Amino acid sequence: MEPQPPAPETLPTPTVPSAEAPSKPFKLHRRFDRTGRLLGDPAMERLSKARVVVFGLGGVGSYAAEGIVRSGVGHLTLVDFDTVCVTNANRQLHATVKTVGKPKAELMAQRCKEINPDADVRPLREFYRDELADQLLAPGSYDYVVDAIDNVKAKLHLLHRCVSLGIPVVSSMGAAGRLDPTAIRVEDLCETHMDPFAKDIRKLLKRKYGVNTDRPTGITAVYSIETRRQPLSLRYDADDGFSCVCPNDNDFHTCERRTQIDGSVAFVTSVFGMNAAGVVVRRLSVGR
């Protein structure tokens, strides 16, 4: 019998400890020996107590979550409303022939628990949106946010909320349509160049939420300076054009509602995700 993924939680508001309960002295587990020898015991203890949330568990977010849990972060919340589609298999960690149709948040939580059974990992099968913002991202609930959302409306609201609440956030810009992982950069959103998606995010954050994106925003962006490639038609598109094969429809973000379906590859989306994980781990390890 296959192990069952943990049951998803239903929108609890994350609790913020009012006082630290007495605990045993920190002792690094051997599974983190190599990371510990790079960062040291004090940094590993900080990571073990850190609380991180990842919004979006696709080709970028799944790798970000894995990089974070493999680095010793002790508390991780994984938010994604979607289920695995066969077209995810080329770039998403949880996508295999056995997982098609299963919830991404639950699958990724199970994977993270198999990496570190001592970690507190919570899957939330939800789509981030305005009316759930207070529950999914309560003030003081997390030390860092990873934004791997590809829905523009949701992304804008999430980034504005992080800025408003003063929660550190690292945000993935456009990973699709790229083939060169060496062209990926990490800068404040105001410093992003040659990425049309990042340009739109800057413009819309300023127009819709009044965020001054001409100066440092506090939003760390992972982006690519490679020119975005247009998607190619495939032979099976010949009769009817693109046809969505996702196992479950939803009211939030579907293939059928997109203006175009871009190509993407694992050796680019994974590097986006691991760069995001690197930002989180490096900054939390020094107490920032």
Side-chain angles (χ1 to χ4, degrees):
M1 180 180 295
E2 294 185 8
Q4 295 299 309
E9 299 186 28
T10 54
L11 292 181
T13 300
T15 56
V16 183
S18 56
E20 290 290 333
S23 59
K24 297 179 181 179
F26 175 76
K27 183 177 181 180
L28 185 66
H29 194 283
R30 288 287 185 175
R31 68 174 62 94
F32 299 118
D33 180 90
R34 300 305 189 265
T35 310
R37 293 181 188 279
L38 188 61
L39 299 178
D41 279 311
M44 296 307 295
E45 183 171 7
R46 284 191 286 270
L47 289 174
S48 73
K49 296 176 180 178
R51 301 159 298 166
V52 177
V53 58
V54 180
F55 289 98
L57 297 169
V60 174
S62 61
Y63 281 90
E66 179 138 333
I68 288 166
V69 78
R70 285 191 185 275
S71 299
V73 169
H75 305 272
L76 188 60
T77 300
L78 305 173
V79 184
D80 197 301
F81 72 101
D82 209 357
T83 57
V84 172
C85 173
V86 66
T87 62
N88 300 151
N90 79 317
R91 68 197 184 284
Q92 300 186 15
L93 274 176
H94 39 54
T96 69
V97 294
K98 293 182 178 180
T99 61
V100 171
K102 296 182 180 180
K104 293 180 182 180
E106 297 172 37
L107 290 168
M108 202 64 214
Q110 177 178 311
R111 184 178 174 94
C112 289
K113 289 292 286 185
E114 289 173 354
I115 292 167
N116 181 14
D118 297 327
D120 168 30
V121 184
R122 300 191 310 150
L124 292 179
R125 191 178 176 186
E126 267 300 346
F127 182 86
Y128 179 88
R129 54 197 187 276
D130 187 356
E131 57 265 37
L132 294 183
D134 288 337
Q135 294 165 287
L136 294 176
L137 191 58
S141 55
Y142 296 107
D143 301 304
Y144 230 100
V145 171
V146 176
D147 160 37
I149 298 174
D150 57 3
N151 180 279
V152 173
K153 181 179 179 181
K155 192 178 201 76
L156 291 169
H157 191 281
L158 175 62
L159 292 177
H160 174 248
R161 186 167 179 83
C162 288
V163 171
S164 299
L165 295 176
I167 305 173
V169 58
V170 57
S171 178
S172 174
M173 297 293 115
R178 273 83 175 185
L179 277 174
D180 184 3
T182 69
I184 295 169
R185 303 289 186 268
V186 179
E187 304 280 358
D188 187 274
L189 181 63
C190 73
E191 299 291 343
T192 52
H193 306 287
M194 298 177 65
D195 182 346
F197 183 75
K199 181 179 179 180
D200 288 342
I201 294 298
R202 293 197 308 271
K203 179 174 64 177
L204 291 168
L205 274 175
K206 181 185 293 187
R207 180 191 302 168
K208 188 170 183 178
Y209 292 106
V211 177
N212 187 347
T213 54
D214 296 323
R215 64 186 185 188
T217 61
I219 300 169
T220 302
V222 183
Y223 71 105
S224 175
I225 61 173
E226 179 185 3
T227 301
R228 181 175 164 277
R229 298 164 185 258
Q230 291 298 313
L232 302 174
S233 296
L234 299 173
R235 290 176 182 172
Y236 50 61
D237 293 336
D239 294 333
D240 302 312
F242 173 80
S243 178
C244 179
V245 293
C246 294
N248 294 307
D249 197 7
N250 63 80
D251 296 326
F252 304 115
H253 195 65
T254 68
C255 294
E256 296 288 10
R257 295 182 185 179
R258 301 187 192 186
T259 55
Q260 72 178 27
I261 302 297
D262 291 309
S264 53
V265 287
F267 53 81
V268 171
T269 62
S270 62
V271 179
F272 265 76
M274 286 301 182
N275 265 292
V279 168
V280 171
V281 171
R282 288 193 302 271
R283 295 183 182 175
L284 289 178
S285 68
V286 295
R288 289 191 286 126

